[in-house]
Amino acid sequence: MQRIDLRSDTVTLPTEAMRKAMAEAELGDDVYGEDPTVNRLEELAAEKLGKEAALFVTSGTQGNQVAILSHARAGEEIILEADSHIFFYEAAAASALAGVQTRTIAGVRGVMDPREVERAIRGVNIHFPRTALICLENTHNRAGGAILPLENLQAIYELAQRKQVPVHLDGARVFNAAVALAVDVREITRFVDTVQVCFSKGLGAPVGSVLAGPRDFIEAARQWRKRLGGGMRQAGVIAAPAIVALTEMVDRLAEDHENARRLALALAEMKGWQVDPGLVETNIVIADVAGTGRSATEWLDWLAKEGVLAVDFGDTLIRFVTHKDVSSSDLEEAIRRIHRVVKRL
Ligand code: TLP
Protein backbone atom coordinates (compact mmCIF):
# COMPACT_ATOMS: atom_id res chain seq x y z
CA MET A 1 0.00 0.00 0.00
CA GLN A 2 1.33 3.42 -0.97
CA ARG A 3 1.95 5.63 2.06
CA ILE A 4 0.39 9.10 1.91
CA ASP A 5 2.45 11.24 4.23
CA LEU A 6 0.62 14.33 5.47
CA ARG A 7 2.63 14.69 8.71
CA SER A 8 4.48 17.76 7.46
CA ASP A 9 5.78 19.55 4.38
CA THR A 10 9.24 18.82 5.84
CA VAL A 11 8.96 15.26 4.44
CA THR A 12 9.24 16.49 0.83
CA LEU A 13 12.06 14.96 -1.21
CA PRO A 14 14.30 16.98 -3.54
CA THR A 15 13.24 17.27 -7.20
CA GLU A 16 15.34 15.99 -10.11
CA ALA A 17 16.40 19.58 -10.83
CA MET A 18 17.58 19.89 -7.22
CA ARG A 19 19.60 16.67 -7.38
CA LYS A 20 21.22 17.80 -10.64
CA ALA A 21 22.01 21.20 -9.11
CA MET A 22 23.60 19.44 -6.12
CA ALA A 23 25.77 17.27 -8.33
CA GLU A 24 26.92 20.21 -10.45
CA ALA A 25 27.31 22.87 -7.71
CA GLU A 26 30.48 24.93 -7.73
CA LEU A 27 32.02 24.64 -4.27
CA GLY A 28 34.47 26.29 -1.90
CA ASP A 29 34.98 26.76 1.84
CA ASP A 30 32.06 28.89 3.04
CA VAL A 31 33.74 29.69 6.36
CA TYR A 32 36.29 31.61 4.22
CA GLY A 33 33.32 33.10 2.31
CA GLU A 34 34.49 31.16 -0.74
CA ASP A 35 31.59 28.91 -1.66
CA PRO A 36 30.20 30.57 -4.81
CA THR A 37 26.90 28.65 -4.59
CA VAL A 38 26.26 29.68 -0.98
CA ASN A 39 27.16 33.26 -1.88
CA ARG A 40 24.74 33.17 -4.81
CA LEU A 41 21.96 31.77 -2.61
CA GLU A 42 22.52 34.41 0.07
CA GLU A 43 22.45 37.23 -2.53
CA LEU A 44 19.36 35.82 -4.21
CA ALA A 45 17.51 35.33 -0.91
CA ALA A 46 18.37 38.85 0.29
CA GLU A 47 17.11 40.28 -2.99
CA LYS A 48 13.88 38.24 -2.99
CA LEU A 49 13.17 39.13 0.64
CA GLY A 50 14.00 42.81 0.17
CA LYS A 51 16.82 42.84 2.74
CA GLU A 52 20.46 43.98 2.53
CA ALA A 53 22.03 40.62 3.31
CA ALA A 54 21.26 37.01 4.15
CA LEU A 55 22.87 34.04 5.89
CA PHE A 56 22.38 30.37 4.99
CA VAL A 57 21.66 28.36 8.17
CA THR A 58 21.11 24.70 8.89
CA SER A 59 17.45 24.85 9.90
CA GLY A 60 14.52 27.05 10.79
CA THR A 61 15.29 26.60 14.46
CA GLN A 62 18.89 27.68 13.96
CA GLY A 63 17.75 30.71 11.93
CA ASN A 64 15.33 31.83 14.63
CA GLN A 65 17.80 31.25 17.45
CA VAL A 66 20.67 33.00 15.66
CA ALA A 67 18.26 35.89 15.13
CA ILE A 68 17.40 36.03 18.85
CA LEU A 69 21.08 35.75 19.84
CA SER A 70 21.98 38.58 17.46
CA HIS A 71 19.13 40.87 18.58
CA ALA A 72 19.12 40.26 22.34
CA ARG A 73 21.38 39.66 25.34
CA ALA A 74 20.90 37.51 28.44
CA GLY A 75 18.55 39.19 30.90
CA GLU A 76 16.49 40.90 28.23
CA GLU A 77 12.94 40.09 27.21
CA ILE A 78 11.42 39.07 23.89
CA ILE A 79 7.73 39.30 23.03
CA LEU A 80 6.16 36.46 21.08
CA GLU A 81 2.84 34.78 20.43
CA ALA A 82 1.88 32.11 22.97
CA ASP A 83 1.52 29.34 20.39
CA SER A 84 4.49 30.36 18.24
CA HIS A 85 7.04 27.79 17.08
CA ILE A 86 9.86 29.65 18.86
CA PHE A 87 8.00 29.38 22.17
CA PHE A 88 6.32 26.01 21.72
CA TYR A 89 8.69 23.85 19.67
CA GLU A 90 12.27 25.03 20.05
CA ALA A 91 13.03 23.25 23.34
CA ALA A 92 13.28 26.58 25.22
CA ALA A 93 16.36 27.46 23.16
CA ALA A 94 15.73 31.18 23.63
CA SER A 95 16.27 30.80 27.37
CA ALA A 96 18.83 27.99 27.17
CA LEU A 97 21.04 29.74 24.60
CA ALA A 98 20.31 33.49 24.57
CA GLY A 99 19.26 33.64 28.26
CA VAL A 100 16.29 35.81 27.43
CA GLN A 101 12.95 35.87 29.19
CA THR A 102 9.97 35.18 26.96
CA ARG A 103 6.85 37.32 27.27
CA THR A 104 3.97 35.63 25.50
CA ILE A 105 0.78 37.18 24.17
CA ALA A 106 -2.12 34.91 23.23
CA GLY A 107 -3.13 35.67 19.67
CA VAL A 108 -6.32 34.98 17.74
CA ARG A 109 -5.32 32.58 14.97
CA GLY A 110 -1.72 33.60 15.58
CA VAL A 111 -2.48 37.31 15.33
CA MET A 112 -1.42 39.44 18.31
CA ASP A 113 -3.39 42.58 19.09
CA PRO A 114 -1.02 45.55 18.51
CA ARG A 115 -2.37 47.24 21.66
CA GLU A 116 -1.32 44.23 23.73
CA VAL A 117 2.09 44.21 22.08
CA GLU A 118 2.50 47.89 22.87
CA ARG A 119 1.47 47.33 26.50
CA ALA A 120 4.00 44.50 26.81
CA ILE A 121 6.95 46.67 25.75
CA ARG A 122 8.83 47.63 28.90
CA GLY A 123 9.50 51.17 30.01
CA VAL A 124 12.71 52.18 31.71
CA ASN A 125 12.68 51.02 35.34
CA ILE A 126 15.34 49.29 37.44
CA HIS A 127 12.92 46.38 38.01
CA PHE A 128 12.30 45.69 34.34
CA PRO A 129 14.22 43.83 31.67
CA ARG A 130 14.77 45.66 28.39
CA THR A 131 12.43 44.58 25.61
CA ALA A 132 14.88 43.46 22.94
CA LEU A 133 12.68 41.92 20.25
CA ILE A 134 9.19 41.18 18.99
CA CYS A 135 8.77 37.88 17.12
CA LEU A 136 5.99 37.13 14.63
CA GLU A 137 5.17 33.92 12.75
CA ASN A 138 3.68 33.90 9.23
CA THR A 139 2.13 31.60 8.28
CA HIS A 140 1.31 30.50 11.82
CA ASN A 141 1.83 26.78 12.24
CA ARG A 142 -0.25 25.96 15.35
CA ALA A 143 -2.98 28.31 14.15
CA GLY A 144 -3.39 25.98 11.14
CA GLY A 145 -1.29 27.83 8.57
CA ALA A 146 -3.10 31.11 9.26
CA ILE A 147 -1.86 34.23 7.48
CA LEU A 148 -1.10 37.36 9.49
CA PRO A 149 -3.02 40.21 7.81
CA LEU A 150 -0.76 42.87 6.25
CA GLU A 151 -2.51 45.59 8.30
CA ASN A 152 -1.62 43.74 11.52
CA LEU A 153 2.04 43.44 10.45
CA GLN A 154 2.09 47.11 9.60
CA ALA A 155 0.49 48.18 12.90
CA ILE A 156 2.97 46.12 14.94
CA TYR A 157 5.93 47.32 12.87
CA GLU A 158 4.96 50.97 13.23
CA LEU A 159 4.63 50.79 16.99
CA ALA A 160 7.84 48.73 17.25
CA GLN A 161 9.73 51.39 15.29
CA ARG A 162 8.26 54.10 17.48
CA LYS A 163 9.47 52.17 20.56
CA GLN A 164 12.77 51.24 18.86
CA VAL A 165 12.23 47.50 19.26
CA PRO A 166 13.24 45.32 16.28
CA VAL A 167 10.79 42.81 14.78
CA HIS A 168 11.82 39.30 13.68
CA LEU A 169 9.60 37.15 11.50
CA ASP A 170 9.63 33.37 11.73
CA GLY A 171 8.75 33.08 8.07
CA ALA A 172 9.32 29.32 7.83
CA ARG A 173 6.31 29.34 5.46
CA VAL A 174 6.22 33.01 4.45
CA PHE A 175 6.10 32.08 0.75
CA ASN A 176 2.85 30.19 1.44
CA ALA A 177 1.45 33.44 2.83
CA ALA A 178 2.67 35.48 -0.15
CA VAL A 179 1.25 33.02 -2.69
CA ALA A 180 -2.10 32.80 -0.89
CA LEU A 181 -2.36 36.60 -0.69
CA ALA A 182 -1.09 36.92 -4.28
CA VAL A 183 1.50 39.51 -3.23
CA ASP A 184 5.25 39.73 -3.65
CA VAL A 185 6.84 38.36 -0.46
CA ARG A 186 8.45 41.79 0.06
CA GLU A 187 4.98 43.17 0.80
CA ILE A 188 5.19 41.03 3.96
CA THR A 189 8.89 41.30 4.82
CA ARG A 190 8.88 45.12 4.54
CA PHE A 191 7.13 45.12 7.91
CA VAL A 192 9.91 43.26 9.74
CA ASP A 193 13.59 43.94 10.38
CA THR A 194 14.77 40.34 10.09
CA VAL A 195 13.21 37.19 8.66
CA GLN A 196 13.92 33.45 8.69
CA VAL A 197 12.62 31.40 5.76
CA CYS A 198 12.77 27.59 5.38
CA PHE A 199 13.75 25.94 2.08
CA SER A 200 13.14 22.47 3.50
CA LYS A 201 9.36 22.69 3.90
CA GLY A 202 6.90 23.32 1.07
CA LEU A 203 9.70 24.53 -1.22
CA GLY A 204 11.07 20.99 -1.23
CA ALA A 205 14.81 21.47 -0.66
CA PRO A 206 16.46 18.80 1.48
CA VAL A 207 18.07 21.09 4.07
CA GLY A 208 18.35 24.65 5.21
CA SER A 209 16.91 28.06 5.90
CA VAL A 210 17.98 31.61 5.41
CA LEU A 211 18.10 34.53 7.83
CA ALA A 212 17.85 37.92 6.14
CA GLY A 213 18.18 41.46 7.47
CA PRO A 214 20.45 44.53 7.64
CA ARG A 215 24.10 43.94 6.65
CA ASP A 216 25.61 44.61 10.11
CA PHE A 217 23.00 42.34 11.74
CA ILE A 218 23.87 39.52 9.32
CA GLU A 219 27.58 39.92 10.11
CA ALA A 220 26.79 39.47 13.83
CA ALA A 221 24.54 36.53 12.94
CA ARG A 222 27.38 34.93 10.95
CA GLN A 223 29.49 34.86 14.10
CA TRP A 224 26.63 33.44 16.18
CA ARG A 225 26.08 30.72 13.58
CA LYS A 226 29.80 29.85 13.80
CA ARG A 227 29.64 29.74 17.60
CA LEU A 228 26.78 27.28 17.33
CA GLY A 229 28.81 25.05 15.01
CA GLY A 230 26.92 26.14 11.93
CA GLY A 231 29.94 27.02 9.75
CA MET A 232 29.34 24.53 6.96
CA ARG A 233 32.38 24.52 4.59
CA GLN A 234 31.38 23.16 1.10
CA ALA A 235 27.74 23.94 1.80
CA GLY A 236 27.11 24.68 -1.87
CA VAL A 237 25.85 21.10 -2.23
CA ILE A 238 22.87 22.02 -0.06
CA ALA A 239 22.66 25.68 -1.14
CA ALA A 240 22.23 24.58 -4.78
CA PRO A 241 18.84 22.87 -4.22
CA ALA A 242 17.79 25.84 -2.07
CA ILE A 243 18.38 28.08 -5.12
CA VAL A 244 16.09 25.78 -7.13
CA ALA A 245 13.55 26.01 -4.27
CA LEU A 246 13.57 29.82 -4.43
CA THR A 247 13.45 30.09 -8.20
CA GLU A 248 11.19 27.19 -9.23
CA MET A 249 9.10 26.02 -6.31
CA VAL A 250 7.27 29.07 -4.99
CA ASP A 251 4.35 29.44 -7.39
CA ARG A 252 3.34 25.80 -7.15
CA LEU A 253 2.50 26.23 -3.43
CA ALA A 254 -0.95 27.27 -4.70
CA GLU A 255 -1.59 23.58 -5.53
CA ASP A 256 -0.88 22.61 -1.92
CA HIS A 257 -3.35 25.25 -0.73
CA GLU A 258 -5.98 23.92 -3.11
CA ASN A 259 -5.40 20.37 -1.83
CA ALA A 260 -5.65 21.53 1.78
CA ARG A 261 -9.00 23.20 1.08
CA ARG A 262 -10.21 20.04 -0.64
CA LEU A 263 -9.13 17.92 2.35
CA ALA A 264 -10.81 20.30 4.82
CA LEU A 265 -14.08 20.15 2.90
CA ALA A 266 -14.00 16.34 2.92
CA LEU A 267 -13.07 16.08 6.62
CA ALA A 268 -15.85 18.51 7.57
CA GLU A 269 -18.33 15.95 6.17
CA MET A 270 -17.02 13.10 8.35
CA LYS A 271 -19.05 12.12 11.38
CA GLY A 272 -17.72 13.64 14.60
CA TRP A 273 -14.89 15.53 12.84
CA GLN A 274 -14.84 19.26 13.17
CA VAL A 275 -13.02 21.45 10.65
CA ASP A 276 -13.91 24.87 9.31
CA PRO A 277 -12.80 24.84 5.66
CA GLY A 278 -13.24 28.62 5.60
CA LEU A 279 -10.30 28.91 7.99
CA VAL A 280 -7.92 26.91 5.80
CA GLU A 281 -5.83 29.61 4.14
CA THR A 282 -2.66 27.74 3.13
CA ASN A 283 -1.35 24.14 3.36
CA ILE A 284 -2.26 23.15 6.93
CA VAL A 285 -5.51 21.60 8.12
CA ILE A 286 -6.24 21.05 11.81
CA ALA A 287 -9.20 18.80 12.58
CA ASP A 288 -10.83 18.28 15.97
CA VAL A 289 -11.99 14.69 16.53
CA ALA A 290 -13.53 15.34 19.99
CA GLY A 291 -16.98 14.64 18.53
CA THR A 292 -15.96 11.05 17.72
CA GLY A 293 -15.31 10.29 21.39
CA ARG A 294 -11.82 9.07 20.45
CA SER A 295 -8.44 10.69 20.93
CA ALA A 296 -6.13 12.05 18.25
CA THR A 297 -3.60 9.29 18.89
CA GLU A 298 -6.24 6.56 18.49
CA TRP A 299 -7.24 8.07 15.14
CA LEU A 300 -3.62 8.45 14.06
CA ASP A 301 -3.00 4.74 14.72
CA TRP A 302 -6.03 3.71 12.67
CA LEU A 303 -5.11 6.08 9.85
CA ALA A 304 -1.51 4.86 9.83
CA LYS A 305 -2.77 1.29 9.36
CA GLU A 306 -4.49 2.59 6.20
CA GLY A 307 -1.24 4.24 5.12
CA VAL A 308 -2.33 7.81 5.88
CA LEU A 309 0.07 9.70 8.14
CA ALA A 310 -0.65 12.87 10.12
CA VAL A 311 0.45 14.21 13.54
CA ASP A 312 -1.33 15.03 16.77
CA PHE A 313 -1.60 18.68 17.76
CA GLY A 314 -3.35 18.19 21.10
CA ASP A 315 -5.56 15.56 22.79
CA THR A 316 -8.20 15.63 20.07
CA LEU A 317 -6.48 17.70 17.37
CA ILE A 318 -4.91 16.23 14.25
CA ARG A 319 -2.73 18.21 11.84
CA PHE A 320 -2.50 17.40 8.13
CA VAL A 321 -0.04 19.27 5.89
CA THR A 322 -0.25 19.17 2.10
CA HIS A 323 2.89 19.39 -0.02
CA LYS A 324 4.40 18.69 -3.43
CA ASP A 325 4.81 14.93 -2.84
CA VAL A 326 1.06 14.47 -2.33
CA SER A 327 -0.69 14.98 -5.66
CA SER A 328 -4.40 15.75 -5.94
CA SER A 329 -5.07 12.10 -6.80
CA ASP A 330 -3.03 10.96 -3.75
CA LEU A 331 -5.13 13.36 -1.74
CA GLU A 332 -8.38 11.87 -3.08
CA GLU A 333 -7.03 8.45 -2.13
CA ALA A 334 -6.21 9.70 1.38
CA ILE A 335 -9.77 11.01 1.73
CA ARG A 336 -11.18 7.61 0.64
CA ARG A 337 -9.03 5.84 3.21
CA ILE A 338 -9.98 8.23 6.04
CA HIS A 339 -13.60 7.70 5.08
CA ARG A 340 -13.16 3.93 5.34
CA VAL A 341 -11.84 4.25 8.90
CA VAL A 342 -14.67 6.62 9.89
CA LYS A 343 -17.31 4.23 8.50
CA ARG A 344 -15.90 1.31 10.46
CA LEU A 345 -16.66 3.02 13.79
N1 TLP B 1 7.95 22.96 12.12
C1 TLP B 1 7.82 21.52 12.11
C2 TLP B 1 7.78 20.99 13.55
O1 TLP B 1 8.83 21.49 14.30
C3 TLP B 1 6.50 21.32 14.26
C4 TLP B 1 6.59 21.13 11.32
O2 TLP B 1 6.48 19.95 10.98
O3 TLP B 1 5.77 22.02 11.04
N2 TLP B 1 9.15 27.80 12.40
C5 TLP B 1 8.01 27.20 12.05
C6 TLP B 1 6.78 28.03 11.92
C7 TLP B 1 7.96 25.82 11.83
O4 TLP B 1 6.81 25.26 11.51
C8 TLP B 1 9.14 25.06 11.97
C9 TLP B 1 9.16 23.57 11.79
C10 TLP B 1 10.32 25.74 12.31
C11 TLP B 1 10.29 27.11 12.54
C12 TLP B 1 11.63 25.01 12.53
O5 TLP B 1 12.18 24.56 11.37
P1 TLP B 1 13.29 23.38 11.41
O6 TLP B 1 12.51 22.11 11.57
O7 TLP B 1 13.97 23.52 10.09
O8 TLP B 1 14.19 23.64 12.55
Short mmCIF file of all heavy atoms in Angstrom, two decimals, residues 171-207:
data_model
loop_
_atom_site.label_atom_id
_atom_site.label_comp_id
_atom_site.label_asym_id
_atom_site.label_seq_id
_atom_site.Cartn_x
_atom_site.Cartn_y
_atom_site.Cartn_z
N GLY A 171 9.45 33.23 9.35
CA GLY A 171 8.75 33.08 8.07
C GLY A 171 9.06 31.73 7.46
O GLY A 171 9.27 31.61 6.25
N ALA A 172 9.06 30.69 8.33
CA ALA A 172 9.32 29.32 7.83
C ALA A 172 8.47 29.08 6.56
O ALA A 172 8.96 28.52 5.59
CB ALA A 172 8.97 28.31 8.91
N ARG A 173 7.22 29.53 6.60
CA ARG A 173 6.31 29.34 5.46
C ARG A 173 5.82 30.68 4.92
O ARG A 173 4.66 30.80 4.51
CB ARG A 173 5.12 28.46 5.87
CG ARG A 173 5.52 27.07 6.32
CD ARG A 173 4.32 26.17 6.59
NE ARG A 173 4.74 24.84 6.99
CZ ARG A 173 5.07 24.48 8.24
NH1 ARG A 173 5.03 25.37 9.22
NH2 ARG A 173 5.46 23.24 8.50
N VAL A 174 6.69 31.68 4.88
CA VAL A 174 6.22 33.01 4.45
C VAL A 174 5.85 33.01 2.96
O VAL A 174 4.98 33.78 2.54
CB VAL A 174 7.25 34.11 4.80
CG1 VAL A 174 8.47 34.05 3.88
CG2 VAL A 174 6.61 35.49 4.75
N PHE A 175 6.48 32.13 2.17
CA PHE A 175 6.10 32.08 0.75
C PHE A 175 4.68 31.52 0.57
O PHE A 175 3.99 31.90 -0.37
CB PHE A 175 7.12 31.31 -0.09
CG PHE A 175 8.35 32.13 -0.39
CD1 PHE A 175 9.55 31.86 0.25
CD2 PHE A 175 8.30 33.18 -1.30
CE1 PHE A 175 10.69 32.63 -0.02
CE2 PHE A 175 9.42 33.96 -1.57
CZ PHE A 175 10.62 33.68 -0.93
N ASN A 176 4.26 30.65 1.49
CA ASN A 176 2.85 30.19 1.44
C ASN A 176 1.92 31.38 1.64
O ASN A 176 0.90 31.52 0.96
CB ASN A 176 2.58 29.13 2.51
CG ASN A 176 3.32 27.84 2.23
OD1 ASN A 176 4.49 27.70 2.56
ND2 ASN A 176 2.65 26.88 1.60
N ALA A 177 2.28 32.26 2.57
CA ALA A 177 1.45 33.44 2.83
C ALA A 177 1.42 34.34 1.60
O ALA A 177 0.35 34.81 1.18
CB ALA A 177 1.99 34.20 4.04
N ALA A 178 2.60 34.57 1.00
CA ALA A 178 2.67 35.48 -0.15
C ALA A 178 1.85 34.93 -1.32
O ALA A 178 1.10 35.68 -1.97
CB ALA A 178 4.13 35.66 -0.56
N VAL A 179 1.99 33.62 -1.57
CA VAL A 179 1.25 33.02 -2.69
C VAL A 179 -0.25 33.09 -2.42
O VAL A 179 -1.03 33.45 -3.31
CB VAL A 179 1.73 31.56 -2.93
CG1 VAL A 179 0.78 30.80 -3.84
CG2 VAL A 179 3.13 31.57 -3.52
N ALA A 180 -0.66 32.78 -1.20
CA ALA A 180 -2.10 32.80 -0.89
C ALA A 180 -2.68 34.21 -0.98
O ALA A 180 -3.83 34.39 -1.39
CB ALA A 180 -2.34 32.20 0.50
N LEU A 181 -1.87 35.21 -0.61
CA LEU A 181 -2.36 36.60 -0.69
C LEU A 181 -2.16 37.19 -2.08
O LEU A 181 -2.59 38.32 -2.34
CB LEU A 181 -1.60 37.49 0.32
CG LEU A 181 -1.85 37.26 1.81
CD1 LEU A 181 -0.89 38.13 2.63
CD2 LEU A 181 -3.30 37.59 2.18
N ALA A 182 -1.44 36.44 -2.94
CA ALA A 182 -1.09 36.92 -4.28
C ALA A 182 -0.34 38.26 -4.22
O ALA A 182 -0.65 39.21 -4.95
CB ALA A 182 -2.33 37.02 -5.18
N VAL A 183 0.64 38.32 -3.30
CA VAL A 183 1.50 39.51 -3.23
C VAL A 183 2.96 39.07 -3.32
O VAL A 183 3.29 37.91 -3.03
CB VAL A 183 1.31 40.31 -1.90
CG1 VAL A 183 -0.12 40.83 -1.78
CG2 VAL A 183 1.70 39.48 -0.67
N ASP A 184 3.83 40.00 -3.71
CA ASP A 184 5.25 39.73 -3.65
C ASP A 184 5.61 39.56 -2.16
O ASP A 184 5.07 40.28 -1.31
CB ASP A 184 6.01 40.93 -4.24
CG ASP A 184 7.50 40.65 -4.37
OD1 ASP A 184 8.18 40.52 -3.32
OD2 ASP A 184 7.97 40.56 -5.49
N VAL A 185 6.52 38.63 -1.87
CA VAL A 185 6.84 38.36 -0.46
C VAL A 185 7.37 39.62 0.24
O VAL A 185 7.23 39.78 1.46
CB VAL A 185 7.81 37.16 -0.36
CG1 VAL A 185 9.23 37.54 -0.80
CG2 VAL A 185 7.83 36.57 1.05
N ARG A 186 7.94 40.54 -0.54
CA ARG A 186 8.45 41.79 0.06
C ARG A 186 7.35 42.65 0.66
O ARG A 186 7.61 43.50 1.52
CB ARG A 186 9.23 42.60 -0.97
CG ARG A 186 10.64 42.06 -1.18
CD ARG A 186 11.33 42.72 -2.33
NE ARG A 186 10.78 42.17 -3.58
CZ ARG A 186 11.46 42.05 -4.69
NH1 ARG A 186 12.71 42.45 -4.75
NH2 ARG A 186 10.91 41.54 -5.77
N GLU A 187 6.11 42.44 0.19
CA GLU A 187 4.98 43.17 0.80
C GLU A 187 4.78 42.74 2.26
O GLU A 187 4.17 43.44 3.05
CB GLU A 187 3.68 42.92 0.02
CG GLU A 187 3.67 43.53 -1.37
CD GLU A 187 3.84 45.05 -1.31
OE1 GLU A 187 3.10 45.69 -0.55
OE2 GLU A 187 4.74 45.56 -2.01
N ILE A 188 5.25 41.55 2.58
CA ILE A 188 5.19 41.03 3.96
C ILE A 188 6.46 41.42 4.71
O ILE A 188 6.40 41.97 5.81
CB ILE A 188 5.01 39.50 3.94
CG1 ILE A 188 3.70 39.13 3.22
CG2 ILE A 188 5.07 38.92 5.35
CD1 ILE A 188 3.50 37.64 3.01
N THR A 189 7.62 41.13 4.09
CA THR A 189 8.89 41.30 4.82
C THR A 189 9.26 42.77 5.03
O THR A 189 10.12 43.08 5.85
CB THR A 189 10.05 40.58 4.09
OG1 THR A 189 10.08 41.04 2.73
CG2 THR A 189 9.83 39.07 4.10
N ARG A 190 8.58 43.69 4.30
CA ARG A 190 8.88 45.12 4.54
C ARG A 190 8.46 45.54 5.94
O ARG A 190 8.93 46.56 6.44
CB ARG A 190 8.20 46.00 3.48
CG ARG A 190 6.69 45.92 3.49
CD ARG A 190 6.13 46.56 2.22
NE ARG A 190 6.01 47.99 2.39
CZ ARG A 190 4.86 48.66 2.39
NH1 ARG A 190 3.72 48.02 2.18
NH2 ARG A 190 4.84 49.94 2.55
N PHE A 191 7.59 44.76 6.57
CA PHE A 191 7.13 45.12 7.91
C PHE A 191 7.91 44.42 9.03
O PHE A 191 7.43 44.35 10.17
CB PHE A 191 5.64 44.82 8.06
CG PHE A 191 4.78 45.65 7.13
CD1 PHE A 191 3.88 45.03 6.27
CD2 PHE A 191 4.89 47.03 7.10
CE1 PHE A 191 3.10 45.78 5.40
CE2 PHE A 191 4.11 47.79 6.23
CZ PHE A 191 3.22 47.16 5.39
N VAL A 192 9.07 43.86 8.69
CA VAL A 192 9.91 43.26 9.74
C VAL A 192 11.37 43.63 9.48
O VAL A 192 11.74 43.95 8.35
CB VAL A 192 9.78 41.70 9.79
CG1 VAL A 192 8.34 41.31 10.12
CG2 VAL A 192 10.24 41.04 8.50
N ASP A 193 12.17 43.61 10.54
CA ASP A 193 13.59 43.94 10.38
C ASP A 193 14.38 42.73 9.91
O ASP A 193 15.28 42.85 9.09
CB ASP A 193 14.16 44.44 11.72
CG ASP A 193 13.48 45.71 12.16
OD1 ASP A 193 13.73 46.75 11.53
OD2 ASP A 193 12.65 45.66 13.10
N THR A 194 14.04 41.55 10.47
CA THR A 194 14.77 40.34 10.09
C THR A 194 13.76 39.22 9.85
O THR A 194 12.67 39.22 10.43
CB THR A 194 15.78 39.91 11.17
OG1 THR A 194 15.10 39.61 12.39
CG2 THR A 194 16.80 41.02 11.45
N VAL A 195 14.14 38.27 9.00
CA VAL A 195 13.21 37.19 8.66
C VAL A 195 13.97 35.88 8.44
O VAL A 195 15.07 35.89 7.89
CB VAL A 195 12.36 37.55 7.41
CG1 VAL A 195 13.22 37.93 6.22
CG2 VAL A 195 11.41 36.41 7.02
N GLN A 196 13.39 34.81 8.92
CA GLN A 196 13.92 33.45 8.69
C GLN A 196 12.94 32.74 7.77
O GLN A 196 11.72 32.78 8.00
CB GLN A 196 14.04 32.74 10.03
CG GLN A 196 14.53 31.30 9.99
CD GLN A 196 13.47 30.28 9.66
OE1 GLN A 196 13.55 29.55 8.65
NE2 GLN A 196 12.43 30.20 10.46
N VAL A 197 13.46 32.13 6.71
CA VAL A 197 12.62 31.40 5.76
C VAL A 197 13.18 29.99 5.55
O VAL A 197 14.39 29.84 5.36
CB VAL A 197 12.58 32.12 4.38
CG1 VAL A 197 11.68 31.38 3.41
CG2 VAL A 197 12.13 33.56 4.53
N CYS A 198 12.31 28.98 5.57
CA CYS A 198 12.77 27.59 5.38
C CYS A 198 12.71 27.19 3.91
O CYS A 198 11.69 27.41 3.24
CB CYS A 198 11.89 26.63 6.16
SG CYS A 198 12.09 26.75 7.94
N PHE A 199 13.78 26.55 3.42
CA PHE A 199 13.75 25.94 2.08
C PHE A 199 13.27 24.50 2.15
O PHE A 199 12.88 23.92 1.15
CB PHE A 199 15.16 25.95 1.46
CG PHE A 199 15.77 27.31 1.38
CD1 PHE A 199 16.97 27.61 2.01
CD2 PHE A 199 15.14 28.33 0.67
CE1 PHE A 199 17.53 28.87 1.94
CE2 PHE A 199 15.68 29.60 0.59
CZ PHE A 199 16.88 29.86 1.23
N SER A 200 13.33 23.92 3.34
CA SER A 200 13.14 22.47 3.50
C SER A 200 11.70 22.09 3.80
O SER A 200 11.42 20.95 4.15
CB SER A 200 14.04 21.97 4.63
OG SER A 200 13.67 22.62 5.82
N LYS A 201 10.77 23.03 3.68
CA LYS A 201 9.36 22.69 3.90
C LYS A 201 8.66 22.62 2.54
O LYS A 201 9.07 21.82 1.72
CB LYS A 201 8.74 23.70 4.87
CG LYS A 201 9.50 23.72 6.20
CD LYS A 201 8.72 24.22 7.35
CE LYS A 201 9.34 23.74 8.66
NZ LYS A 201 10.76 24.08 8.84
N GLY A 202 7.64 23.44 2.33
CA GLY A 202 6.90 23.32 1.07
C GLY A 202 7.74 23.55 -0.17
O GLY A 202 7.37 23.09 -1.26
N LEU A 203 8.88 24.25 -0.03
CA LEU A 203 9.70 24.53 -1.22
C LEU A 203 10.53 23.32 -1.63
O LEU A 203 11.17 23.34 -2.68
CB LEU A 203 10.59 25.75 -0.98
CG LEU A 203 9.85 27.06 -0.67
CD1 LEU A 203 10.84 28.22 -0.51
CD2 LEU A 203 8.82 27.41 -1.74
N GLY A 204 10.56 22.29 -0.80
CA GLY A 204 11.07 20.99 -1.23
C GLY A 204 12.56 20.75 -1.18
O GLY A 204 13.03 19.67 -1.54
N ALA A 205 13.36 21.72 -0.74
CA ALA A 205 14.81 21.47 -0.66
C ALA A 205 15.09 20.51 0.49
O ALA A 205 14.31 20.43 1.44
CB ALA A 205 15.56 22.79 -0.45
N PRO A 206 16.21 19.78 0.42
CA PRO A 206 16.46 18.80 1.48
C PRO A 206 16.83 19.41 2.83
O PRO A 206 16.50 18.85 3.86
CB PRO A 206 17.61 17.95 0.92
CG PRO A 206 18.22 18.76 -0.16
CD PRO A 206 17.16 19.65 -0.70
N VAL A 207 17.55 20.52 2.82
CA VAL A 207 18.07 21.09 4.07
C VAL A 207 18.12 22.62 3.98
O VAL A 207 18.41 23.15 2.92
CB VAL A 207 19.56 20.70 4.32
CG1 VAL A 207 19.99 21.00 5.75
CG2 VAL A 207 19.87 19.28 3.94
#
